[in-house]
Amino acid sequence: MGAIREACGSIGAEWPTLTYGCTMVLARRLIPIPSYSLPYLCDALGVSFDHHHDAESDAVAAAEVLLSLASRAQADSLEALAQVAGVALGHMSPVDWIGCHRSPHRSDGSGNWAHPAPPPANLQANPGHPFYGQVIVFTGALGIRRVDAWAAVSELGATPEDSVTKRTSILVVGDGFTGHSAADFTTGKAAKAAQWIAKGHNSEVMNERDFADILQDEAGGMR
């Protein structure tokens, strides 16, 4: 943003009006690493980055970092990513600007941002629905935001949780997964689910398409 302001000043142009996010500010709220300089950040996220301080290379790397952070946070827009991270986006106009910064309104009082918790199950839901009474965990990138998936199943009487335990009865796997076994997919949550299944716990692994079909069937039955 500083480069844009200086470039505008050098040719006598007005600053543009725009909203933006800083990958360093966002990353500091989302992933714990020793340094948030661009090379370290790219390495932590698996982003290819070969020419530090080359303007084009830096810009492409920053864009890839943002997309990686958004994927991890299940965010489908810059605004959604900022909300998940507890960050206020930066703004620029022809007359002023304010940088992207940590939002004080997302603090839990200790200086640490509090991640949203899954909502409780709606006990007044239809007990005949397949999700009623289930403990459901989501893993991988979904086609909808994680918080929206939590809300959808909790409204149907399920208890959404953020981690796999022996209580987990359904694991919904995103990222285009089409199998039916936790052993077919390698995420930390899927690995834990496979371990519990091997120990005799009754846990079902469901891909996102099957999950969406059940939600759609329910919506169709309510029309």
Side-chain angles (χ1 to χ4, degrees):
M1 293 300 106
I4 290 175
R5 293 194 301 273
E6 290 179 13
C8 289
S10 71
I11 61 173
E14 287 188 340
W15 295 346
T17 298
L18 51 80
T19 299
Y20 65 92
C22 172
T23 51
M24 179 180 289
V25 174
L26 291 163
R28 282 175 173 159
R29 307 306 302 273
L30 295 169
I31 58 173
I33 56 177
S35 170
Y36 294 91
S37 67
L38 192 54
Y40 281 96
L41 193 51
C42 288
D43 184 65
L45 295 173
V47 172
S48 177
F49 185 43
D50 298 323
H51 304 291
H52 191 25
H53 295 311
D54 173 82
E56 181 179 3
S57 179
D58 285 1
V60 171
E64 294 289 347
V65 163
L66 182 68
L67 292 173
S68 180
L69 292 174
S71 176
R72 286 173 173 241
Q74 305 294 310
D76 59 1
S77 68
L78 179 60
E79 290 76 10
L81 178 60
Q83 183 178 16
V84 170
V87 164
L89 294 175
H91 299 276
M92 182 187 295
S93 76
V95 296
D96 60 9
W97 66 276
I98 181 171
C100 177
H101 61 279
R102 176 175 174 159
S103 172
H105 304 295
R106 302 292 293 180
S107 172
D108 62 3
S110 66
N112 297 318
W113 180 72
H115 289 271
N122 172 21
L123 300 182
Q124 304 305 313
N126 175 12
H129 190 275
F131 285 158
Y132 188 90
Q134 304 283 358
V135 177
I136 302 179
V137 175
F138 298 90
T139 186
L142 301 172
I144 61 175
R145 296 187 305 162
R146 186 69 53 88
V147 291
D148 292 335
W150 286 346
V153 298
S154 66
E155 184 61 26
L156 294 171
T159 300
E161 293 189 344
D162 200 23
S163 358
V164 171
T165 69
K166 64 181 178 181
R167 286 167 30 87
T168 303
S169 56
I170 296 176
L171 176 68
V172 180
V173 184
D175 285 326
F177 173 74
T178 57
H180 299 282
S181 168
D184 296 335
F185 193 82
T186 54
T187 69
K189 291 179 182 178
K192 287 183 180 179
Q195 291 173 3
W196 286 117
I197 293 171
K199 292 178 180 179
H201 291 275
N202 187 19
S203 297
E204 177 184 355
V205 178
M206 183 180 297
N207 62 52
E208 187 178 7
R209 175 176 293 181
D210 291 343
F211 168 74
D213 285 346
I214 293 176
L215 290 181
Q216 185 175 1
D217 286 347
E218 173 62 14
M222 293 171 65
R223 285 197 294 267

